[in-house]
Amino acid sequence: MSLLVTLLLVGALAGPGGLAAPPSCSSDQAAPVYGQMPSREVTRDTVPPYLAFPEPGLDDPAAYEGYDTRVYQDAARNAFQVYVKATSGRVVNLWADAANESVGFSARDSAGRPAEIRWGSTGAVTTRSAHTRSVAYGLELPSSVTLGLFLLGSMRVERDLQYAARDTLPLDAVPFPQAELSELIEHMGRLKPAERDRQLSLLGVKSVDALRARLRPRVTSERRDTTWVVRVEQSSFDGKGHLSLTLEGDTRETVPALGAGNATVSIKRPAGGPVRVSVRVTTDAAALTPLARDEIFNDDFRRFAARVRADSTHPERFKRLEREMRGVELLTYREKLMAGLPNFATYFGRDMLMTALLMEPVWTPEMPEHVIASALRKLGPDGDVSHEEALGGQAIREHAAEYNRLVAAGQLAKARAVLAHLDATRENYVMVDDDFQLPVVAARYLADPRVLADRKRRFLAAEGEGEGGARLARLVANLSLVARRAAPYTRDPVPTNLVSFPRAPDGHWISASWRDSRAGYGGGRFAYDVNAVWVPHALEAIGRILDALKGLGVTPAIRAEPLASYARDRKALDHAIAVWKGADRHFRVALSPAEVSQRVAARLGELPAEERAYWQGVLQRAGPMQDTLRFLALALDGAGRPIPIMNTDPATLLLLDSLDADRARALIDPMLHPYPIGLLIENLGPVVANDAYAAPEVWRTFRRDAYHGPAVVWGREVNLLLAGLARLIPLSDAGRRITDAVDRSGLRHAELWSYKIADGRLVPARYGTSSDVQLWSLTDLAVQYLLNHPTP
């Protein structure tokens, strides 16, 4: 039976809703990782999608604007996502495995327009052998269609292709030139023959031309009885990894032809009707080790989920809860938690750490171990937490750039050393906030009475693979970094001694916290969230960790100052905490009603006429401000002056502190004013920033870079607000207002969403780069649990 025929039969596999049932295996039954399967064993299975978007009854298809996606679990239970973008005819296959791989191509009809693409099978066929894994599924295309812009390698490269709008290029164009690799080849071509041969051997080739051939995929075709097969094969630049795309069709229905240079494939159905093809993606990359549901979620939460499932009067509620639990499963592995599918299927330190804090009520007590161990394994030599890893093809790109610098400097020995490990994982340590989040998560784990003392001691003593020493020593290195960075402000608490963002080569301050777009902090140097939230809580965490270690009978070696002084003298640490607890005073903004009216009017004056008219109507309905507007600025500028951008970041304190109702109300009330005075937008939710009170240059910056701006709602911030408010019964009305607005958007469980103003109406819209499955958006599971288990 051909693969195409197999896929045509897959439709009968789907259960209720067309989705696969969740796996019930425990960790003992988890699929083995790459390399553990007997050499001749081949497994083959047919599976429905584990998730699909948009999903009837849960999502508004119009908001997805022709975007359609399915996520499967492969034979190793790693996530495999396929998405189709109707606007460009792009089909992308993401493999969320140890290499973060992707296979993408574009399809256009006979008129050169993006082809109309439909699913040709309900499910997929998964295969696994000793060294490879495959996933295959069916597509239906127009009766005359051309495929091209084949790009096989790292998902980061596919992401860059789409960011650069290169999916609109002619189908026979180079999809995404990787300048770092081309430059490496040029450097190698200029080396003396002996050195060149020595370096080429490290990459497993004998000539520069053979190396250059690895920049483009190899496309071939053949005919087998009643089927035709087109293969697109790509070796990684270092020759160690291999990806392939196989297209298969019926010769009795369709006719394929390779284009000039084998860069495109045209397929026609002479009799008319849809072109039916099977698509198979194969990799030899390593798989990750998935965690079972009962390893992730605690007993109380699973009982809550069972009660929701039993509630037959609200079936959509369980449907949504189940979808979110599956989303967490797809992102959670023993080695790490991924940030999101499809664009961020790798380790992100901040995303893991924030998720650990939000999910504490619903996770098993042991789950934070995976987060902490992953962060410690990737810790920098000075104790910095890695923000993001570069895997596979992206690691090769970054190492190639390093190689080019070394060769240009004449450092050939060092260049060879880089070349020998071109695919080694690289870490990015530019972010600041995650360095202070790790102690907070570690302190909560070490102080958790549900985790046995012996288990904690074993965890701290472990020397996990690649960690370069016991976890305890690496944790102490991070605590030392925290104490050292906090020391200048502790000694002299003036704004310019706060923890600063790093400066970029062009002179701007890098947005090195969660709002990590260039415009994210309005050009600020000292972020509110870093300095008024994370630093004081990290210092408090140092004390809790030292106490927990003492209780475990563990005495770490602490030599660096000022951490060593804090370990000897708790009063010194308490003083540092008290000083930092007052840092929020630098961020306070107070505006009279007249100032509010004046600045908002000026901001609206910069908007297009239709948008301006809409927000003027909102202001008229809300009425003028009666009292002083007080809020905490998003950041301070280089001189330590507040940049008056209202924002959602104070909501983090609701999660970390036990605030009384008055203090919580002072933080939240400014946000609940209707935008453009506050942050809350009817039928959308709380936007993450309001720049109306800042300078015009800030307005224009956010207009150019809207990712963290005043037109965007982030699911992360919604969940922080709701999780915090769920603990405060007197503020339950605030939570309902936020929930109602977000629910009416139809996009509550997206990573982020925005809006358009059309015909005098605000229309919610999915943000273009939003993830379908996003780790910190899935913390809505904790919100739902907390709303049903309120604590006074």
Side-chain angles (χ1 to χ4, degrees):
M1 182 183 294
S2 74
L3 181 59
L4 182 62
V5 173
T6 301
L7 287 168
L8 292 175
L9 299 175
V10 167
L13 295 171
L19 297 179
S24 56
C25 65
S26 68
S27 58
D28 294 332
Q29 299 167 308
V33 296
Y34 172 82
Q36 292 181 345
M37 186 173 288
S39 60
R40 294 186 181 180
E41 183 176 348
V42 176
T43 62
R44 183 184 178 98
D45 202 359
T46 47
V47 296
Y50 204 58
L51 286 179
F53 302 87
E55 188 175 351
L58 294 183
D59 304 306
D60 177 9
Y64 280 73
E65 299 177 314
Y67 177 92
D68 198 1
T69 187
R70 293 175 173 180
V71 188
Y72 299 96
Q73 288 185 311
D74 71 6
R77 285 177 45 221
N78 284 201
F80 180 90
Q81 180 175 6
V82 188
Y83 71 80
V84 176
K85 288 180 67 176
T87 53
S88 64
R90 189 77 178 164
V91 179
V92 176
N93 305 268
L94 159 73
W95 220 319
D97 56 13
N100 186 31
E101 303 170 292
S102 69
V103 171
F105 60 89
S106 295
R108 295 183 190 156
D109 63 20
S110 56
R113 297 181 298 253
E116 184 176 342
I117 304 171
R118 300 181 184 276
W119 301 112
S121 60
T122 302
V125 176
T126 65
T127 308
R128 188 178 189 187
S129 68
H131 303 297
T132 65
R133 289 170 290 130
S134 297
V135 177
Y137 58 93
L139 290 178
E140 288 190 358
L141 307 167
S143 59
S144 179
V145 66
T146 303
L147 311 180
L149 290 173
F150 296 107
L151 185 60
L152 293 76
S154 168
M155 184 62 198
R156 288 276 295 274
V157 181
E158 174 68 37
R159 191 175 85 191
D160 288 347
L161 173 140
Q162 295 193 36
Y163 285 172
R166 294 185 66 89
D167 52 351
T168 63
L169 292 175
L171 291 175
D172 59 355
V174 176
F176 191 84
Q178 298 183 53
E180 306 92 341
L181 305 185
S182 298
E183 185 180 347
L184 183 151
I185 292 172
E186 291 176 8
H187 277 302
M188 200 166 284
R190 291 193 292 266
L191 295 173
K192 293 180 179 180
E195 179 65 25
R196 181 170 62 245
D197 291 346
R198 185 178 182 183
Q199 294 197 15
L200 287 170
S201 68
L202 293 172
L203 299 178
V205 291
K206 295 183 178 180
S207 70
V208 171
D209 286 342
L211 184 60
R212 186 177 289 110
R214 288 179 178 170
L215 296 178
R216 296 293 297 270
R218 178 172 175 264
V219 184
T220 59
S221 65
E222 64 174 305
R223 178 169 177 159
R224 303 174 183 166
D225 298 327
T226 59
T227 62
W228 56 260
V229 178
V230 172
R231 286 194 186 86
V232 184
E233 300 170 292
Q234 179 84 60
S235 293
S236 61
F237 190 72
D238 62 356
K240 296 178 182 178
H242 305 84
L243 269 173
S244 69
L245 167 69
T246 304
L247 305 171
E248 183 178 318
D250 190 330
T251 57
R252 294 165 296 186
E253 289 187 351
T254 53
V255 180
L258 300 185
N262 292 356
T264 62
V265 180
S266 296
I267 311 170
K268 294 184 178 180
R269 183 168 182 170
V275 166
R276 291 192 286 262
V277 298
S278 74
V279 179
R280 180 171 66 241
V281 180
T282 304
T283 183
D284 60 2
L288 296 170
T289 314
L291 295 177
R293 185 170 291 191
D294 59 2
E295 293 178 283
I296 301 169
F297 298 109
N298 63 36
D299 293 344
D300 284 346
F301 177 77
R302 296 205 309 278
R303 282 192 289 268
F304 163 69
R307 289 196 299 273
V308 174
R309 183 173 190 166
D311 180 7
S312 58
T313 59
H314 301 94
E316 75 290 341
R317 188 177 172 214
F318 178 72
K319 195 174 182 182
R320 190 179 297 281
L321 201 71
E322 175 65 24
R323 181 167 82 172
E324 291 183 345
M325 287 190 286
R326 292 182 180 207
V328 172
E329 290 170 329
L330 291 168
L331 298 177
T332 304
Y333 299 87
R334 196 166 302 281
E335 296 85 352
K336 62 188 171 188
L337 278 65
M338 296 178 179
L341 308 178
N343 288 327
F344 305 102
T346 58
Y347 161 103
F348 277 75
R350 172 194 306 122
D351 299 58
M352 286 197 321
L353 295 163
M354 283 298 302
T355 298
L357 293 170
L358 278 159
M359 294 289 271
E360 188 176 30
V362 301
W363 269 3
T364 63
E366 297 76 23
M367 263 300 292
E369 292 177 353
H370 301 292
V371 172
I372 299 166
S374 183
L376 291 177
R377 182 170 61 250
K378 294 173 172 292
L379 209 67
D382 292 331
D384 302 68
V385 172
S386 171
H387 163 58
E388 178 183 10
E389 63 185 1
L391 304 171
Q394 180 63 22
I396 289 173
R397 286 175 72 187
E398 295 183 14
H399 277 118
E402 183 179 351
Y403 168 93
N404 294 333
R405 290 191 295 270
L406 292 169
V407 172
Q411 298 177 307
L412 296 183
K414 290 183 178 180
R416 283 195 303 273
V418 171
L419 211 59
H421 303 285
L422 213 54
D423 67 340
T425 301
R426 291 176 64 93
E427 308 295 342
N428 178 336
Y429 296 104
V430 72
M431 292 293 148
V432 172
D433 58 335
D434 47 15
D435 300 330
F436 298 94
Q437 291 165 351
L438 175 57
V440 178
V441 174
R444 292 193 175 205
Y445 165 74
L446 291 171
D448 190 340
R450 298 172 299 171
V451 183
L452 296 177
D454 283 346
R455 185 183 182 103
K456 293 174 185 175
R457 282 190 283 266
R458 287 195 302 271
F459 175 77
L460 292 169
E463 297 188 26
E465 182 182 352
E467 291 184 29
R471 290 182 183 136
L472 176 59
R474 299 180 71 77
L475 178 59
V476 168
N478 173 251
L479 301 184
S480 295
L481 176 77
V482 167
R484 187 167 63 251
R485 287 189 178 169
Y489 186 80
T490 302
R491 288 192 299 268
D492 184 10
V494 296
T496 50
N497 279 341
L498 292 167
V499 174
S500 171
F501 285 155
R503 191 186 283 275
D506 67 359
H508 82 274
W509 298 107
I510 296 172
S511 296
S513 190
W514 85 268
R515 300 169 184 262
D516 52 4
S517 58
R518 178 156 181 158
Y521 287 85
R525 177 183 179 185
F526 306 101
Y528 166 83
D529 68 320
V530 171
N531 288 284
V533 177
W534 293 115
V535 176
H537 284 87
L539 291 171
E540 287 184 326
I542 288 175
R544 295 195 186 103
I545 290 170
L546 293 174
D547 290 343
L549 293 177
K550 183 178 180 180
L552 293 171
V554 174
T555 304
I558 302 176
R559 299 180 180 87
E561 292 292 349
L563 183 63
S565 294
Y566 294 161
R568 294 190 303 268
D569 180 6
R570 182 53 62 87
K571 289 183 179 180
L573 177 59
D574 291 342
H575 170 72
I577 293 168
V579 169
W580 275 95
K581 284 286 187 180
D584 69 345
R585 72 183 185 277
H586 306 299
F587 298 86
R588 294 171 190 166
V589 176
L591 299 173
S592 69
E595 288 177 296
V596 170
S597 178
Q598 178 185 7
R599 296 194 192 192
V600 170
R603 180 67 182 94
L604 297 187
E606 289 274 317
L607 298 178
E610 186 176 22
E611 196 172 346
R612 180 168 62 250
Y614 178 84
W615 294 117
Q616 286 172 339
V618 171
L619 287 176
Q620 288 172 1
R621 291 191 295 274
M625 285 284 295
Q626 300 298 320
D627 299 313
T628 299
L629 180 64
R630 302 180 190 277
F631 61 90
L632 293 160
L634 180 63
L636 309 181
D637 65 17
R641 297 173 299 232
I643 301 173
I645 300 171
M646 188 186 293
N647 62 94
T648 51
D649 289 356
T652 311
L653 291 175
L654 300 181
L655 179 72
L656 299 179
D657 285 341
S658 298
L659 302 178
D660 60 43
D662 290 342
R663 173 66 174 141
R665 188 173 285 110
L667 293 173
I668 298 302
D669 278 355
M671 305 179 198
L672 297 180
H673 286 299
Y675 183 84
I677 295 172
L679 301 179
L680 191 59
I681 298 180
E682 265 188 35
N683 305 322
L684 193 77
V687 291
V688 294
N690 182 352
D691 60 1
Y693 309 112
E697 178 52 36
V698 174
W699 309 342
R700 290 186 280 272
T701 300
F702 276 123
R703 202 73 175 177
R704 291 190 299 267
D705 186 357
Y707 196 48
H708 297 100
V712 179
V713 178
W714 277 75
R716 159 201 152 115
E717 295 298 277
V718 170
N719 292 341
L720 271 171
L721 281 161
L722 294 179
L725 290 170
R727 296 175 167 88
L728 294 161
I729 303 302
L731 273 69
S732 58
D733 182 61
R736 281 192 293 271
R737 288 180 61 193
I738 294 169
T739 299
D740 290 346
V742 169
D743 283 346
R744 286 195 293 267
S745 75
L747 291 160
R748 174 172 180 171
H749 302 282
E751 179 190 9
L752 65 160
W753 57 99
S754 186
Y755 65 86
K756 300 174 183 176
I757 303 296
D759 300 323
R761 295 175 53 248
L762 184 143
V763 181
R766 182 178 180 272
Y767 196 86
T769 58
S770 175
S771 295
D772 301 304
V773 184
Q774 216 288 336
L775 188 62
W776 58 28
S777 295
L778 294 170
T779 59
D780 177 68
L781 290 166
V783 172
Q784 297 305 311
Y785 176 81
L786 287 169
L787 289 174
N788 287 272
H789 297 79
T791 55

